[in-house]
Amino acid sequence: MTTAIEDRELNTELQELYLISKQWITDLDFLEGEIDFLKKLTAKLLVKTTRARELEKLLDIETAYTGLKKDMLNYLHHLEPLIMQTQQGFNLYLIENYASLKLRLDDALVNCHLVKNSIFECSRLQTKYNDTDLNIQENG
């Protein structure tokens, strides 16, 4: 009787891992859209050194994103048969991989947020400068 309860609990845990991992893919799709948007905004920055620095940061995030998406899809692919048949063997690697992927995703999202703030600030300052310059020209 204990085995049936343990199998149900294990299956529930595996399904939860699978659902969380599916949500990660959604988060990565959002991240991909953010990267594309930020690249376009960064391309409009006038200061070349700032533009180059921000584009380099975005490239680093995009590189992390690409590897992370591949690893997450592999993780999901590994989880699927375990959910269908709980009798298959698995080990602690499954949980360690989960923790590693979660950390990598969190890092990518935080880094994207930091770069987004930096790009927005540069864009805001550029707009403020352009507005000030325009007012000087109109009044001068």
Side-chain angles (χ1 to χ4, degrees), residues 75-89:
Y75 185 75
L76 279 170
H77 182 70
H78 183 73
L79 271 177
E80 287 172 350
L82 295 175
I83 293 170
M84 302 302 172
Q85 271 189 354
T86 56
Q87 302 303 323
Q88 291 185 4

Side-chain angles (χ1 to χ4, degrees), residues 78-118:
H78 183 73
L79 271 177
E80 287 172 350
L82 295 175
I83 293 170
M84 302 302 172
Q85 271 189 354
T86 56
Q87 302 303 323
Q88 291 185 4
F90 60 93
N91 55 29
L92 192 57
Y93 171 76
L94 189 70
I95 303 302
E96 290 172 351
N97 198 9
Y98 168 86
S100 172
L101 290 170
K102 181 175 179 0
L103 182 63
R104 288 171 57 198
L105 176 61
D106 290 346
D107 284 347
L109 291 171
V110 165
N111 287 337
C112 185
H113 182 74
L114 293 172
V115 171
K116 179 166 61 173
N117 287 344
S118 176

Side-chain angles (χ1 to χ4, degrees), residues 2 20 23 44 46 48 59 70 75 90-91 94 112-113 120-121 130:
T2 306
I20 290 169
Q23 177 60 45
K44 295 179 182 180
L46 297 177
K48 289 181 182 182
L59 181 61
K70 178 183 167 212
Y75 185 75
F90 60 93
N91 55 29
L94 189 70
C112 185
H113 182 74
F120 281 3
E121 181 63 18
N130 288 341

Side-chain angles (χ1 to χ4, degrees), residues 49-90:
T49 55
T50 302
R51 184 175 55 235
R53 182 186 69 232
E54 299 303 329
L55 284 172
E56 184 177 334
K57 290 177 188 176
L58 287 171
L59 181 61
D60 290 344
I61 294 169
E62 190 171 35
T63 301
Y65 157 83
T66 303
L68 187 54
K69 187 161 188 176
K70 178 183 167 212
D71 292 346
M72 283 186 174
L73 290 172
N74 286 338
Y75 185 75
L76 279 170
H77 182 70
H78 183 73
L79 271 177
E80 287 172 350
L82 295 175
I83 293 170
M84 302 302 172
Q85 271 189 354
T86 56
Q87 302 303 323
Q88 291 185 4
F90 60 93

